[in-house]
């Protein structure tokens, strides 16, 4: 398969954990969109949010995704909000396969409760509303994969099984 694999999902779903494991199993490079932005901007996502706001960050995110495509097929972990943008979804659909790492709200809360580097996780009520909103959009991904109760290896094996059916 020569398409990119884009991991989408809510904060705490395991995109940055699953990504390198899946890339290794598929013998592909791994990229984390948030890390690419931080490296390019020489500051953290939180610093960007705090100084210039979410709208500015979302433009940076989209520009980084669309204007710097990886030269070879890769696995890329996207930020939790990347897939919400229709332009990003269209780009992802044209250039790759989107894999939704489905996580239940209670597990996402547990994984993110002490996270200082997630600007949108600071307000619990807003966070739950954001989860519900994004979940509806994540459903548009090509492959849904439940993550609850599974190891990274099990999740990757399931993704690879689905991908082999697409080929």
């Amino acid at each position: 398969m020569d398409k990119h694999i884009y991991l989408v999902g809510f904060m705490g779903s395991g995109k940055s954990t699953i990504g390198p494991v899946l890339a290794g199993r598929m013998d592909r490079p791994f990229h984390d969109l948030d890390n690419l932005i931080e490296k390019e901007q020489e500051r953290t996502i939180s610093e960007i949010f705090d100084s210039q706001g979410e709208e500015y960050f979302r433009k940076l995110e989209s520009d980084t995704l669309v204007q710097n495509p990886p030269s070879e097929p890769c696995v890329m972990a996207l930020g939790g909000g990347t897939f919400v943008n229709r332009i990003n979804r269209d780009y992802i659909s044209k250039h790759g396969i989107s894999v939704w790492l489905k996580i239940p709200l209670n597990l996402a809360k547990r994984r993110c409760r002490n996270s200082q580097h997630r600007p949108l996780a600071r307000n619990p009520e807003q966070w739950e509303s954001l989860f519900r909103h994004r979940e509806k959009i994540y459903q548009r991904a090509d492959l849904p994969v439940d993550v609850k109760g599974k190891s990274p290896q099990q999740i990757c094996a399931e993704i690879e099984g689905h991908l082999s059916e697409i080929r």
Side-chain angles (χ1 to χ4, degrees):
M1 168 170 301
D2 58 351
K3 288 189 164 201
H4 302 302
I5 307 300
Y6 294 99
L7 301 179
V8 304
F10 201 67
M11 293 174 263
S13 62
K15 299 178 300 287
S16 297
T17 300
I18 301 302
V21 176
L22 182 62
R25 288 173 64 125
M26 295 181 74
D27 196 28
R28 292 176 172 221
F30 170 71
H31 303 285
D32 184 302
L33 186 60
D34 283 351
N35 289 348
L36 294 174
I37 293 167
E38 288 181 341
K39 187 175 180 184
E40 182 182 287
Q41 295 295 307
E42 298 180 344
R43 54 195 172 140
T44 67
I45 302 300
S46 292
E47 289 169 341
I48 296 168
F49 260 77
D50 291 344
S51 65
Q52 287 162 298
E54 183 176 4
E55 188 176 326
Y56 176 83
F57 171 74
R58 295 297 171 202
K59 180 169 180 356
L60 263 181
E61 182 179 57
S62 191
D63 290 349
T64 303
L65 175 69
V66 174
Q67 294 174 8
N68 303 307
S71 56
E72 60 184 310
C74 73
V75 174
M76 182 178 285
L78 303 178
T82 310
F83 200 67
V84 174
N85 179 315
R86 186 187 54 76
I87 292 167
N88 294 345
R89 281 196 313 276
D90 290 347
Y91 176 85
I92 290 162
S93 178
K94 183 177 179 182
H95 297 281
I97 307 275
S98 54
V99 178
W100 173 27
L101 300 181
K102 289 177 65 173
I103 186 170
L105 177 62
N106 62 344
L107 181 56
K109 276 184 181 177
R110 199 163 56 243
R111 288 183 178 180
C112 295
R113 71 174 161 240
N114 296 322
S115 179
Q116 299 303 311
H117 70 283
R118 299 178 193 271
L120 295 177
R122 294 176 185 155
N123 178 319
E125 291 78 33
Q126 272 185 325
W127 195 80
E128 187 166 335
S129 172
L130 188 65
F131 180 91
R132 301 278 179 228
H133 169 72
R134 287 184 179 173
E135 196 172 44
K136 293 174 186 150
I137 296 167
Y138 296 150
Q139 290 174 6
R140 300 175 188 175
D142 298 312
L143 299 174
V145 177
D146 287 304
V147 300
K148 184 179 180 183
K150 297 176 188 169
S151 71
Q153 293 293 341
Q154 289 170 314
I155 294 166
C156 290
E158 188 173 333
I159 293 169
E160 287 176 302
H162 289 304
L163 291 174
S164 70
E165 294 168 9
I166 294 174
R167 292 179 191 169

